[in-house]
Amino acid sequence: MSYPPRPSAHPAGGDDLPHEVQEFERLLNKPNSDMTGFASFFNCAEIWVARVPARLDVMGGIADYSGANVCEAVLGRGMLVALQPRTDRTLRIRTMQVGKRSLPIETRIAMDYFDSGDSLGGFPQMRELFHSNPLAMWAAYTGGSIFTLLKEESIRLDSGFNLLLISAVPMNVGIGSSAAVEIGTLSCLNAYLGLGLDAGRLARLGQMAENHVVGAPCGIMDQTTIVSGRKGRLTHILCRPGSVLGEVAIPPGTAFIGINSMVRHSVAGNPYGDTRIGAFMGKRIVNDLRAHTGRAQLDYLAELSVEEFRNQYLPKIPERMLGSEFLARYKTHDDSVTTIQPDANYRVAGPTRHPVEENERVLRFIDSLRAANEGDESGLTTAGECMFAAHASYRDNCSLSIGEVDFLVEAVGKRGPASGLFGAKITGGGTGGTVAVFGRTDALQEHIPQIAVEYSRRVGAMPDVFEGTSPGAIEFGALRYQFGAKGWQRHHI
């Protein structure tokens, strides 16, 4: 390997290490006789480790695939991926949860399954492989990331490895669990193979795995945040296709947290996919109108200003349109990861309007936070208003909110800035998942437990609250563990 080890600056199990790393080391150091440890999974060969955070979609959300600006946070919860080489051509993948007693899930993949003749197969072949057994579809995120890396970087592995995922990130709650698996897997392989891939490339490979193997039409926002996010900062990303423009300081005495609605969320579901199709239909209609007046074609809807869109294009975009009608008139919606169904009736005007307006909301939100950091307290209220407006657009333009999520947003709104709660919104792909809340730290500590109790009376269970912050993949780096006379020793890479 190209990375020499250097001694850790922190004691093993130190409190400054992310919780998932501490848990990994606790289990790693259990005696071989204790089957709750890793004796049946790892031997004494070196182990490579990456750790990535969950993300909180503060502003931008589904506008990412339309080329918008977005503003994202990294949460305290995360996922650890540990890799140990094998001598055969097998990928052994195990996943387990942190924080509760639960059974691990495991599968094995013969690396020959990745091949087609003398070379690697194609994405359709991999998608069919992982979708052929519903009980093993969870492995598409990890296995798909491995395959995508090998294919896109022209890598040939002579042997496989054991890959362990330890996660404190619940699945399907809208805090980037899918992207965490992908980026965690890719970051671990990047360190193990000494590839030196940069943040942009890792994010793009993760998105490709989710689009082409998992089959979810996500944008690149989640992957970019999890790779490039920094502890205690918001990440400003321009999704054309995924450039980090900078960081935004969180105003002193304030924080962003997430409340889990406990309604499962998935970007592979129809509401999200149909909204994306509607936005791309709208872009195709706008470009057709522009072609008739000799103007350049748009690569992204968010290239339009709100004023230009409302005055020149919105009146000419239908509220709804049958897929068959659109295909007959325009042939294609120019989106390679979604398919228009001829008999489906798609919302078009709302999903097209949303990213154009959201792009300007995000920029206003960022300016407001920066003003607050310079002492303008009104910036806190303005930033919160942007969040409430973003939620309203998810609900009204895209039909991506639900009653449970609206309840949580309204509970924050009823308390308002006078109580120290400034804003709230649905996150990510919508239709459930997590609500982002912005407020003063003391107000969040006082009011969020009250809101959680109120919500539990509605749904019958207490919701999880996601708080804290932790390093992104690049900021964290990677670890290598070696076994010697003093047991397992950790080295930072």
Side-chain angles (χ1 to χ4, degrees):
M1 296 300 140
S2 60
Y3 293 104
R6 57 184 173 86
S8 168
H10 309 290
D15 290 340
D16 50 355
L17 284 172
H19 176 63
E20 302 82 16
V21 180
Q22 296 183 45
E23 181 68 3
F24 171 76
E25 293 186 350
R26 183 184 72 83
L27 295 172
L28 184 65
N29 285 298
K30 283 195 170 189
N32 289 346
S33 59
D34 189 338
M35 298 310 294
T36 64
F38 297 144
S40 65
F41 195 77
F42 291 132
N43 55 37
C44 292
E46 65 183 7
I47 301 171
W48 298 76
V49 167
R51 188 268 178 194
V52 298
R55 73 95 184 94
L56 183 67
D57 168 34
V58 175
M59 284 291 293
I62 60 168
D64 63 342
Y65 55 67
S66 293
N69 289 270
V70 302
C71 194
E72 307 298 303
V74 283
L75 289 168
R77 296 198 186 202
M79 180 177 297
L80 177 144
V81 179
L83 178 156
Q84 186 175 72
R86 297 173 62 94
T87 57
D88 59 12
R89 284 180 52 79
T90 299
L91 302 177
R92 183 184 177 190
I93 305 170
R94 177 186 290 184
T95 181
M96 58 184 291
Q97 291 289 312
V98 170
K100 59 183 178 181
R101 191 174 183 180
S102 61
L103 296 175
I105 302 173
E106 185 172 313
T107 191
R108 298 187 185 216
I109 304 171
M111 293 185 66
D112 290 345
Y113 286 168
F114 286 179
D115 295 335
S116 178
D118 295 330
S119 61
L120 285 173
F123 286 111
Q125 174 187 334
M126 286 302 100
R127 185 170 178 178
E128 181 180 357
L129 171 67
F130 286 108
H131 285 251
S132 62
N133 182 353
L135 296 178
M137 281 180 59
W138 63 270
Y141 297 93
T142 304
S145 297
I146 296 168
F147 172 81
T148 301
L149 176 71
L150 299 181
K151 186 172 182 64
E152 295 300 309
E153 298 299 319
S154 302
I155 297 169
R156 175 72 181 182
L157 293 179
D158 294 327
S159 58
F161 38 81
N162 291 344
L163 199 72
L164 173 70
L165 285 72
I166 300 181
S167 178
V169 184
M171 300 295 286
N172 301 118
V173 302
I175 57 173
S177 59
S178 301
V181 174
E182 293 149 7
I183 298 304
T185 300
L186 291 165
S187 297
C188 196
L189 281 165
N190 190 36
Y192 165 61
L193 298 173
L195 301 177
L197 299 177
D198 63 21
R201 185 57 175 164
L202 289 171
R204 176 62 181 138
L205 291 170
Q207 183 195 24
M208 290 179 68
E210 188 153 355
N211 288 168
H212 302 306
V213 180
V214 177
C218 70
I220 201 169
M221 174 184 77
D222 290 1
Q223 290 82 2
T224 301
T225 303
I226 290 169
V227 172
S228 299
R230 292 183 62 204
K231 184 177 180 179
R233 313 283 287 186
L234 301 181
T235 305
H236 178 194
I237 305 166
L238 178 61
C239 300
R240 302 180 192 176
S243 303
V244 176
L245 297 188
E247 298 174 344
V248 183
I250 299 173
T254 69
F256 294 88
I257 62 98
I259 306 175
N260 180 11
S261 72
M262 298 186 294
V263 179
R264 288 175 66 85
H265 145 91
S266 172
V267 297
N270 284 339
Y272 173 91
D274 288 353
T275 298
R276 175 169 175 146
I277 288 172
F280 275 84
M281 282 179 164
K283 181 168 77 77
R284 180 70 178 82
I285 293 169
V286 168
N287 275 334
D288 186 69
L289 293 168
R290 292 173 69 87
H292 283 89
T293 56
R295 282 175 285 184
Q297 299 287 282
L298 299 175
D299 292 323
Y300 300 99
L301 273 172
E303 294 173 37
L304 293 171
S305 69
V306 170
E307 181 180 10
E308 181 183 8
F309 174 73
R310 289 176 179 172
N311 292 338
Q312 299 184 30
Y313 301 113
L314 183 59
K316 300 173 184 177
I317 298 174
E319 285 294 325
R320 289 185 170 272
M321 198 170 192
L322 276 173
S324 57
E325 180 185 354
F326 178 88
L327 291 170
R329 184 177 301 182
Y330 298 103
K331 308 304 181 187
T332 178
H333 67 324
D334 299 317
D335 182 22
S336 63
V337 299
T338 58
T339 302
I340 295 175
Q341 301 301 320
D343 58 347
N345 189 7
Y346 294 98
R347 293 171 61 96
V348 181
T352 307
R353 178 177 182 169
H354 173 79
V356 176
E357 295 181 345
E358 182 74 356
N359 185 56
E360 293 200 2
R361 271 192 295 268
V362 172
L363 295 175
R364 188 162 63 251
F365 171 84
I366 291 172
D367 287 343
S368 299
L369 288 187
R370 287 178 172 152
N373 277 311
E374 294 173 0
D376 182 358
E377 288 282 306
S378 68
L380 301 175
T381 301
T382 303
E385 290 170 351
C386 291
M387 294 178 71
F388 284 126
H391 178 78
S393 185
Y394 261 80
R395 182 191 63 218
D396 301 336
N397 285 320
C398 304
S399 295
L400 285 177
S401 190
I402 56 173
E404 290 83 356
V405 170
D406 291 341
F407 179 93
L408 290 168
V409 173
E410 289 165 9
V412 173
K414 287 175 183 176
R415 288 163 170 83
S419 298
L421 299 184
F422 301 112
K425 64 177 281 289
I426 198 169
T427 62
T431 60
T434 292
V435 171
V437 182
F438 174 44
R440 296 193 188 278
T441 306
D442 56 353
L444 294 170
Q445 293 171 346
E446 176 185 355
H447 291 288
I448 295 305
Q450 297 173 10
I451 292 172
V453 170
E454 293 169 11
Y455 187 68
S456 72
R457 297 191 186 112
R458 177 185 176 98
V459 301
M462 285 291 287
D464 291 324
V465 176
F466 306 124
E467 54 191 349
T469 180
S470 61
I474 296 297
E475 184 180 11
F476 180 82
L479 306 173
R480 184 164 70 173
Y481 289 81
Q482 293 176 312
F483 190 80
K486 296 182 179 181
W488 289 101
Q489 298 295 309
R490 169 174 21 97
H491 306 277
H492 282 269
I493 298 171

